[in-house]
Amino acid sequence: MDVLPLISFLPFTFHELHRTGNLTSVSEFFLQGFSDDPELQPLLFTLFLSMYLVTMLGNLLIILAVTSDPHLHTPMYFFLSNLSLADIGFTSTTVPKMIVNIQTHGRVISYAGCLTQMSIFILFGCMDGMLLSVMSYDRFVAICHPLHYTVIMNPHLCCSLVLVSFFGSLMDSQVHNLIMLQLTCFKDVEISNFFCDPSLLLKLACSDIFTKNIVIYFIGAIFAFLPFSGIFYSYYKILSSISRVPSSGGRYKAFSTCGSHLAVVCLFYGTGLGVYLSSAISQSPRKDAVASVVYTVVTPMLNPFIYSLRNRDFKRAFSQIQLRTWQPI
């Protein structure tokens, strides 16, 4: 029986197969996704398309409101608009590909496409964490040093902090990319998620990855622990400053200015920790994929609502945008 026609149906191509069954050269990977049940595909397509559109609309409205309303030209809203831009990139890296795969019943992603998706995913994910740390510093200065706020948080510093966040995140993503490019042998080509998760790619490697894991954990400690430490220190100083305010009304007013940011921080790091614990404890790839959805899709979708629902500045800006939209020419 001729086996060559059968090989063409495999979800990957390779140049050489070791005796151990390891693939020496892979040109494609196979994304497992959520479910192979044909009856669930229309539901999954509608669900994720709706969530993606809501995410895009909410974050674009945040950016539009900040850029169009002069009252929102402050450091806090400048950082928020950059966070919305990072959330758009973070979601757009994985969700459109997943929606196309659901619609076309395809699961294949090229080797180059997988590494590109992984790099951009890490770039925007890391930038989210660093911008949240920058925003906590902004709240620290506003509450603990209100008289010097405009002097400290000047436009030059604000732009510099955003650029540092971007280039730091870019370095993080490129370190991951360089490590993955050194992998020359894979045990399998099936990734048990809906996107190219770097931790899952490392698990597929058949070569010794101990040194690579050490490097990745070290880089992860720098770009995850340091921003979180900055957030923790900022809020420690904020709470210490608020506790010295004599009236309860004054304490509530001071803390209400950073309530939305604290909620987003808890959502971002809480879901990230949940994904990590789920992958470490759970033995079900499907459950890991569902946990990843909360981190990669739900969090960016909820951020605009958390910041805008109880914010009078945004309500006024949205009202002005609506009036300009419906105003006859």
Side-chain angles (χ1 to χ4, degrees), residues 137-162:
Y137 174 72
D138 172 73
R139 293 298 84 204
F140 159 71
V141 176
I143 293 175
C144 299
H145 305 283
L147 298 179
H148 302 93
Y149 177 74
T150 55
V151 176
I152 297 175
M153 300 304 296
N154 57 76
H156 177 74
L157 178 63
C158 293
C159 293
S160 299
L161 289 173
V162 172

Side-chain angles (χ1 to χ4, degrees), residues 129 133 136 221-222 224-236 269:
S133 180
S136 69
I222 293 176
F225 179 73
L226 287 182
F228 182 78
S229 300
I231 293 172
F232 182 83
Y233 177 78
S234 295
Y235 275 100
Y236 167 74
Y269 282 100

